[in-house]
Amino acid sequence: MPFEGTRPIVCWFRRDLRVRDNPALFHAASAGLPVIPLFVVDTELIKGIRSDGAAFDFQAESLRDLADSIAGLGGRLIVRTGRLTEVFSKIISEVQPRSVYFNRDYEPTAIDRDIEAVKFIERFGIEVKSFDDVVIHHPEDIRTSSGGPYAVFTPFAVKWRKLPKPAPLGRPSRFSTPRLASEPIPGGNELPRAKLVLKPLVRGGERDATDQWNSFLKERLRSYTDTRDLPYMQGTSMMSPYLRFGCISPVRMYSDLVELSPGTDNHPSDSDEKYVSELIWREFYIHVLYHYPYTAERNFRGQFDRLNWSMDERTFEAWKEGRTGFPLVDAGMRQLNATGWMHNRARMVTASFLAKDLFIDWRYGAEYFATKLLDIEKASNVGGWQWSASTGVDPTPLRIFNPAIQSRRFDAEGIYIKEWVPELRNVPSRYIHEPDRMSPILQKETGVVAGRDYPSPIVDHRKAAAYFKSQFIMAKAGRLTSKSPRRD
Ligand SMILES: Cc1cc2nc3c(=O)[nH]c(=O)nc-3n(C[C@H](O)[C@H](O)[C@H](O)COP(=O)(O)OP(=O)(O)OC[C@H]3O[C@@H](n4cnc5c(N)ncnc54)[C@H](O)[C@@H]3O)c2cc1C
């Protein structure tokens, strides 16, 4: 055995692309043995990935940064491509590791993959240790008084807040990595469907995550409650892609919030409460998908399976390309297509519009988001879509967003709209939310003739909303059958 006596520990990186507060790496490095930081480009997993490349590029940037940080600790990132079991089988025959460490992932498909991987590795008599990561509280640690999982946000959040919070682990000790072959880090353009985003708003990696987080804490956290809903401002943290790829840990973010503005019981002060609440939404959706894995594909509430969604390819394409004639919807979709990120208010409005105005199944929308978003997180995506389509957990009164009203409330001057729909730049604020309402003379003067320079609305919002409401009420009451007439 080439490494007898100092058999290394393999630290298997997945969605935890950082060295600070990384439990698996921290514990592997503390053992005083050589460490093999391994990233597997899993060819089976890639087949099921919907991304058209942007998220892959973000991951590649994060991996390059991780490789640098690991080199700074004395080690070397090893990248291998292939089927997971084949890669492990090869590594095991090359170095006979003592153990394999990794951080857990709570997405249902990842759980299945990990069960298989652990079984496979243990067959060689190799110890496997896994650690909590991704969330501050494991989905099993938050239970209702009867012991079941939560399906409503507020009581989940109350319970979440009461639990003692783990402290961040800091940087790992230095370690060495045995000489092993490594492959290049794969980027988005190696995917068959690669269509890269033009100007991503953030760059991947732990270093950029830390800079972004520190600048948010310093410059924007204080005003977060007032500005988080305004898509034309950079009022939010834009930490979602970093959380998705684990370039920063939520444990560290929470601990920074407490340190910066200590409240009571090791909890941040009230002014930072809103931000914490958003982190809890993230954990809530991870909790829901973990306990109700079917919601990745199906409505949380079965009675809505009877909704006879329609699919009109023409309107679906118009939605995807941001050509619906509803400026806020179009701005959101164009921001997504151009940058791989969309402001949360715009996500809610565009998602509601697809489901409730176009009556297109939310699953098509969720899939489109999955191809584009840098921060694609199955739990939040499916949770956000089911919330927007009113088919999911946490029932609120049926809410149907009116895109023009949303636009007046959250982008009154049309700054966001004009940034992403530049053909509307000469439209006065008064008409920016409904440019087709301009008189024919004004349309000519501004160079925005409805149907020529900018689409006329592709749907009558009032009629569409009334139709959705009637279908929703009937589905809820169990009065829709699979033979109920479709709208198209
Ligand atoms: C239809 C739809 C699809 C969505 N898909 C995703 C997705 O794939 N990945 C994703 O991370 N978020 C998703 N969201 C939630 C939300 O839009 C983004 O998390 C947020 O816009 C990210 O920007 P930020 O980091 O600046 O947010 P901030 O406002 O700065 O919030 C801080 C963090 O809290 C979490 N968070 C904030 N809002 C939500 C929310 N509503 N639900 C869950 N977590 C939240 C995110 O991790 C975010 O980074 C979706 C929302 C909707 C309505």
Side-chain angles (χ1 to χ4, degrees), residues 323-342:
R323 289 186 293 100
T324 66
F326 290 83
L328 184 60
V329 173
D330 293 345
M333 295 308 293
R334 294 192 201 182
Q335 182 182 33
L336 174 68
N337 292 334
T339 68
W341 188 85
M342 197 201 297

Side-chain angles (χ1 to χ4, degrees), residues 438-458:
M438 288 190 292
S439 66
I441 294 174
L442 196 54
Q443 291 193 18
K444 274 213 182 111
E445 265 176 35
T446 54
V448 183
V449 174
R452 187 191 75 184
D453 305 299
Y454 181 67
S456 300
I458 57 170

Side-chain angles (χ1 to χ4, degrees), residues 15 107 134-135 240 243-244 278-290 295-296 344 347-348 351 362 366 369 373 375-388 393:
R15 52 166 304 173
E107 223 174 72
V134 179
V135 285
S240 51
L243 280 162
R244 169 62 188 86
E278 296 310 315
L279 292 179
I280 304 176
W281 269 107
R282 174 178 175 274
E283 303 217 353
F284 174 61
Y285 283 141
I286 289 174
H287 174 94
V288 170
L289 187 61
Y290 175 89
T295 57
N344 182 57
R347 290 190 207 203
M348 292 196 291
W362 62 265
F369 271 26
L373 283 173
D375 63 22
I376 182 63
E377 174 83 69
K378 195 177 265 179
S380 297
N381 194 37
V382 161
W385 272 97
Q386 293 225 34
W387 185 91
S388 303
V393 289

